[in-house]
Amino acid sequence: MNKYLYSIFIALVLLGGLFFYEYFRFNDGKLHLVMCDVGQGDAIFIRTANGSDILIDGGPDDSVLTCLKNHMPFWDRDIEIMVLTHPHADHLTGLISVVKRYNVMHYFTENVEHKTLINKKLQDTLAANNLTAKYTYSGDRIDLSDKTSLLTIWPEKTWVQSNRLQDKENNSSDSVSLDINGFSLIQLLSFGNFKVLLTGDASVLIQDKTAAKVGKIDVLKVPHHGSKTGMSDYFLKQIRPNAALISVGDKNRYGHPAKPSLDLLENNNVKYFRTDTDSEVEVVSDGNTFWIY
């Protein structure tokens, strides 16, 4: 009996030690942004200073779950905010597994129709979990209690209404000759004086259109995995990032990141990190300065 009680006592001590280790590890009063290593796709996890969890996109498969597991306390099953920048498979597929595994409290996306099987599966999964999309437009702002905010820069509501896209794969008479990436969300994450521009797969025309509004930032999520025509020199000179993150698959068939994009970053003295060579990249900020691991 004493041996049994002793085993229980040891187990409780170990569990308590694990709890306190996890608590202080994930609640250090700083903002953590993780560019998850999900291959050829995007998934960005953010844990705020007060412990709120934000997920921007989910990557091309369920490998995002490993990223969440490694950067959330084991008892935390809530994701306060989930965002889909646009409904392409390399950004949305992993969200299906996330919605099944976690309690997602709020889901934000852009208002564009995309009739693919994988997007329908996501919509069905959201409906089964009583999650309704909240469309976000330029000027919409989510303020959290720890000086963290997420401001939508693009798209503008009137622009969406006049350019509403029916996916070209449908061959609909309502289709417009505009790539769906033109609707991709661009959002500005702020924590104190620290700013990160999250660009999804936004086109270069939209980036240039919104760059002056954004102004100086600290970290850039490089648009469209660093594609050849994904950024302009004007865009970089307007936002002047100190560092850039590129989410890209190893030896991907698209040749991302392309040399012209890397040259642009280097010519503008922007230090960049890429998941195909650096694996997972974590940015930590106290609201004034930041560190990259």
Side-chain angles (χ1 to χ4, degrees):
M1 183 65 178
N2 289 338
K3 185 176 180 181
Y4 177 72
L5 292 175
Y6 178 75
S7 297
I8 293 177
F9 172 76
I10 293 298
L12 289 174
V13 169
L14 291 174
L15 183 61
L18 177 61
F19 175 86
F20 282 107
Y21 169 77
E22 292 269 294
Y23 179 84
F24 289 109
R25 177 188 172 198
F26 294 113
N27 295 275
D28 59 2
K30 296 180 176 64
L31 180 136
H32 293 250
L33 181 148
V34 181
M35 176 72 78
C36 301
D37 185 7
V38 293
Q40 186 64 19
D42 268 14
I44 299 170
F45 173 70
I46 301 156
R47 188 167 177 88
T48 72
N50 281 358
S52 294
D53 301 308
I54 303 171
L55 179 64
I56 313 290
D57 290 333
D61 52 38
D62 65 0
S63 58
V64 65
L65 295 178
T66 300
C67 184
L68 296 178
K69 177 184 176 182
N70 291 338
H71 294 280
M72 294 174 65
F74 66 86
W75 64 84
D76 189 354
R77 310 306 294 176
D78 294 333
I79 292 179
E80 280 72 18
I81 297 170
M82 185 176 82
V83 177
L84 173 62
T85 59
H86 64 295
H88 277 162
D90 60 330
H91 291 250
L92 74 82
T93 304
L95 297 182
I96 297 169
S97 298
V98 171
V99 172
K100 291 179 179 178
R101 184 75 60 89
Y102 290 87
N103 173 36
V104 177
M105 301 173 70
H106 302 284
Y107 170 59
F108 295 88
T109 188
E110 35 65 280
N111 188 5
V112 58
E113 188 174 353
H114 191 60
K115 293 183 179 179
T116 59
L117 291 177
I118 193 64
N119 191 33
K120 184 180 185 304
K121 186 174 181 180
L122 173 62
Q123 302 311 312
D124 291 344
T125 305
L126 292 168
N129 287 270
N130 299 312
L131 268 174
T132 302
K134 299 175 182 178
Y135 300 125
T136 182
Y137 302 98
S138 176
D140 291 344
R141 183 186 183 107
I142 302 170
D143 288 307
L144 301 176
S145 61
D146 51 9
K147 298 182 180 179
T148 302
S149 67
L150 193 62
L151 173 67
T152 299
I153 304 296
W154 185 263
E156 297 172 347
K157 190 171 186 177
T158 54
W159 188 91
V160 171
Q161 291 170 341
S162 62
N163 292 277
R164 185 69 184 272
L165 177 67
Q166 299 289 332
D167 191 339
K168 284 180 283 188
E169 291 178 5
N170 301 329
N171 296 317
S172 167
S173 60
D174 295 327
S175 296
V176 294
S177 57
L178 178 67
D179 190 279
I180 199 170
N181 289 340
F183 290 79
S184 179
L185 293 182
I186 300 177
Q187 294 178 300
L188 183 65
L189 174 72
S190 300
F191 173 53
N193 297 318
F194 175 67
K195 295 182 179 181
V196 181
L197 188 62
L198 304 167
T199 58
D201 279 358
S203 68
V204 67
L205 292 176
I206 300 304
Q207 295 166 41
D208 288 356
K209 180 182 176 71
T210 58
K213 181 191 301 186
V214 172
K216 173 76 174 73
I217 64 167
D218 296 289
V219 177
L220 167 69
K221 201 293 290 188
V222 171
H224 204 200
H225 320 288
S227 64
K228 183 169 65 174
T229 58
M231 289 183 301
S232 72
D233 187 63
Y234 169 82
F235 172 67
L236 287 177
K237 282 182 165 52
Q238 288 294 310
I239 63 173
R240 293 173 288 140
N242 299 108
L245 311 178
I246 308 173
S247 184
V248 64
D250 185 32
K251 298 177 182 177
N252 65 87
R253 62 191 177 95
Y254 306 101
H256 295 161
K259 188 176 185 302
S261 287
L262 298 181
D263 288 343
L264 268 178
L265 292 169
E266 291 172 0
N267 292 339
N268 283 275
N269 299 312
V270 182
K271 185 174 178 59
Y272 57 83
F273 302 84
R274 40 192 285 187
T275 56
D276 62 334
T277 55
D278 299 312
S279 191
E280 187 176 270
V281 182
E282 182 174 13
V283 183
V284 181
S285 175
D286 60 5
N288 290 307
T289 58
F290 70 94
W291 307 265
I292 295 182
Y293 302 97

